[in-house]
Amino acid sequence: MELYACLTARGDALFELCDALLCTDGPVRTLVDLALAPEHRRGHGALYGGLNQGRIDVARLRRALAGVPLPRAADGRLVLAVDVSPWLRPDADTSPDRAFCHTFGRGEGKHQMVPGWPYSVVAALETGRTSWTAVLDAVRLKPGADVAAVTTVQIREVIERLVAAGQWKEGDPQVLVVLDAGYDSPRIAHLLGDLPVQILGRLRSDRVMRRPTPPRIYDPKGGRPPKHGGEFVFGDPASWGAEQAVTTTDTRLYGRATAQAWDRLHPRLTRRAAWLDHDGPLPIIEGTVIRLQAEKLPSGGVNKPVWLWWSGTTASTEDVDRCWQSFLRRFDIEHTFRLFKQTLGWTKPRLRSPEAADRWTWLVIAAHSQLRLARPLATDLRRPWEAPAPPNKLTPARVRRGFRNLRVKTGSPAGAPKPTRPGPGRAPGSKNRHPATRHDVGRVLATGEPYTRPTHHMTGTKPRRTS
């Protein structure tokens, strides 16, 4: 009922579309297939009308997602993962607000930039090996957006909603936010310093950190005292020094995993890029650097160490183990993205407007949340070739198989469809006199100005060569 209350315009069509998404057997290929489901009592025109002209109270839906029971770590801590997943639209010339999305091409080390709509997603992680996450928020990144700034605002709003919903109280362990290498973890930790949040992010293997400021020693020659200590070069073991904590754990997939931690290391900031307009002196953002080295990789690839930066200091062995194990759990959000795209058909519709894409995205998130809430009630409708699974070990796809049986017991608040007939449309043989506007893929220069194509690119003629 709370989901139905969040659908403020064309709510019946949107709610039945969400029911059809949950009850349809097998992966979703097109939206028209959902219109043929028994749960969707309206035609395909109402389906597209709901996505194009409907309205969703996203603020209320976000508060509802923050108020449901959320998974927690063994110590009762909330662990959040943030990542960006693209909705690729390379051929959608009539769709605005497309940006170049970083994707992995075929082959090792192949990277491609494909036009699409990138979405930043925040999800709560569970403990242990699982494919379940609790998606709490999704924001579409516009072309030229500062990912660190947008992520900071997104995390702040999620934490504030969790506190308002009673998910975090005074005295509880701080919320741990896990980021990948594409985020500026020290900057995000500095911007969220007033919240009960700890930041854990992966760093590149070619980074250089600085040690704490050494004690001031009288120098008869004078001069300004040093602001930073010695260098900590990730690629130079001679600069590491003694570790603060070392842990060794035997894992099933990676063999023996060794984690080393060095305390109070910070990056040396300069007045450029994100810190160009910073007021006052640049801050010193200290944290703990963790080096994780596994004995083997399941894929048999090159076994390289993983470098992590944690915003906390004076880390104990328990803190080090919790950090690197939480980082490995971050990859559970990749299972959620795979479920969204391959099973629930998140990126299958060819919608023109980004607003319609946002409505469909929130319907997919609402459907996934209902699957997670129905997890204890679902029965295992397994295929003959599948192994039996305990009720608490069912994957989201297997819970979805039995959702139609659960829906019969709960009913639907959507009203009955009214009889109608389709409009005449454009007469056969007539030309479209209102062609859709074409939009270039949004690109922003380093100066912050929008990129404009040169004249010779627009006219299709080559520039004249001069000797």
Side-chain angles (χ1 to χ4, degrees):
M1 295 299 294
E2 183 65 21
L3 173 61
Y4 184 75
C6 296
L7 310 177
T8 56
R10 297 181 182 258
D12 294 341
L14 292 176
F15 190 85
E16 290 190 354
L17 175 59
C18 186
D19 277 352
L21 177 62
L22 286 168
C23 299
T24 300
D25 190 17
V28 176
R29 305 297 182 186
T30 60
L31 285 181
V32 180
D33 294 338
L34 297 179
L36 302 177
E39 290 76 15
H40 194 275
R41 299 174 294 177
R42 292 161 172 81
H44 67 278
L47 184 149
Y48 283 100
L51 291 178
N52 293 326
Q53 284 85 34
R55 287 195 302 271
I56 300 178
D57 190 350
V58 178
R60 181 172 181 175
L61 184 55
R62 283 169 170 160
R63 292 193 299 267
L65 293 175
V68 299
L70 297 179
R72 297 177 181 270
D75 59 349
R77 183 191 309 269
L78 284 171
V79 181
L80 306 182
V82 185
D83 203 354
V84 176
S85 183
W87 182 340
L88 301 181
R89 300 300 309 277
D91 301 328
D93 295 336
T94 59
S95 297
D97 291 344
R98 291 184 305 157
F100 283 104
C101 305
H102 179 269
T103 59
F104 290 94
R106 295 183 178 180
E108 183 179 358
K110 297 292 184 65
H111 305 283
Q112 297 178 353
M113 302 300 292
V114 182
W117 292 317
Y119 281 85
S120 176
V121 180
V122 179
L125 303 179
E126 294 191 1
T127 57
R129 299 173 63 244
T130 178
S131 57
W132 287 96
T133 61
V135 181
L136 299 175
D137 191 29
V139 173
R140 176 169 49 86
L141 302 177
K142 295 185 178 181
D146 187 350
V147 179
V150 174
T151 304
T152 301
V153 175
Q154 186 180 17
I155 295 174
R156 178 178 294 275
E157 294 177 351
V158 169
I159 297 299
E160 291 176 351
R161 288 194 296 269
L162 293 176
V163 173
Q167 300 285 2
W168 186 89
K169 300 181 180 62
E170 193 69 29
D172 293 345
Q174 291 185 326
V175 181
L176 181 63
V177 180
V178 187
L179 307 173
D180 205 359
Y183 295 90
D184 190 351
S185 301
R187 180 189 173 195
I188 295 178
H190 173 71
L191 296 176
L192 298 177
D194 58 330
L195 295 178
V197 172
Q198 294 178 354
I199 303 298
L200 175 66
R202 185 171 67 169
L203 300 178
R204 292 168 54 96
S205 58
D206 57 353
R207 291 290 298 269
V208 177
M209 289 287 178
R210 290 302 186 103
R211 301 185 184 276
T213 305
R216 186 173 182 177
I217 302 176
Y218 173 73
D219 187 358
K221 297 181 180 180
R224 186 177 61 180
K227 186 178 179 180
H228 308 278
E231 292 185 345
F232 184 94
V233 184
F234 288 4
D236 184 12
S239 64
W240 296 352
E243 309 93 336
Q244 177 188 351
V246 180
T247 63
T248 303
T249 307
D250 293 329
T251 62
R252 187 178 66 89
L253 291 178
Y254 307 100
R256 176 167 296 182
T258 303
Q260 303 167 272
W262 292 267
D263 191 27
R264 295 192 176 278
L265 298 179
H266 63 274
R268 181 179 180 180
L269 306 179
T270 57
R271 288 195 178 276
R272 61 181 180 180
W275 301 99
L276 183 62
D277 300 328
H278 181 77
D279 297 333
L282 295 177
I284 295 179
I285 310 172
E286 292 185 338
T288 302
V289 172
I290 301 174
R291 181 181 183 269
L292 177 62
Q293 179 70 57
E295 186 179 9
K296 61 179 181 179
L297 292 180
S299 59
V302 180
N303 191 4
K304 297 181 179 180
V306 176
W307 292 90
L308 306 175
W309 185 88
W310 179 49
S311 60
T313 56
T314 64
S316 62
T317 55
E318 292 79 8
D319 295 331
V320 175
D321 283 338
R322 182 177 64 251
C323 286
W324 72 262
Q325 292 176 11
S326 298
F327 177 77
L328 294 184
R329 293 270 60 81
R330 190 206 69 84
F331 294 96
D332 293 343
I333 197 174
E334 303 293 342
H335 297 289
T336 301
F337 291 153
R338 186 180 299 109
L339 175 76
F340 280 8
K341 295 181 179 181
Q342 297 183 2
T343 303
L344 300 182
W346 172 37
T347 58
K348 295 298 182 181
R350 298 183 178 182
L351 302 174
R352 175 179 296 178
S353 67
E355 293 77 15
D358 294 342
R359 298 185 192 101
W360 173 244
T361 300
W362 279 107
L363 287 182
V364 173
I365 293 175
H368 180 263
S369 300
Q370 294 185 63
L371 289 178
R372 189 175 62 86
L373 296 176
R375 182 180 175 185
L377 306 176
T379 56
D380 186 14
L381 303 179
R382 65 184 182 90
R383 302 288 189 260
W385 56 85
E386 294 177 343
N392 59 341
K393 295 295 184 180
L394 294 179
T395 61
R398 293 174 75 161
V399 172
R400 180 169 172 256
R401 294 176 188 172
F403 194 88
R404 177 169 288 171
N405 300 332
L406 299 176
R407 182 187 176 276
V408 175
K409 302 177 182 179
T410 58
S412 174
K418 299 178 180 179
T420 184
R421 55 184 177 181
R426 193 168 70 243
S430 62
K431 295 183 179 180
N432 183 13
R433 300 184 182 275
H434 302 282
T437 305
R438 262 57 178 175
H439 302 273
D440 289 335
V441 182
R443 285 184 282 183
V444 179
L445 301 177
T447 58
E449 300 176 356
Y451 171 82
T452 57
R453 303 177 69 181
T455 306
H456 62 272
H457 287 180
M458 294 176 145
T459 58
T461 60
K462 295 183 179 180
R464 180 181 300 178
R465 298 184 60 183
T466 57
S467 59

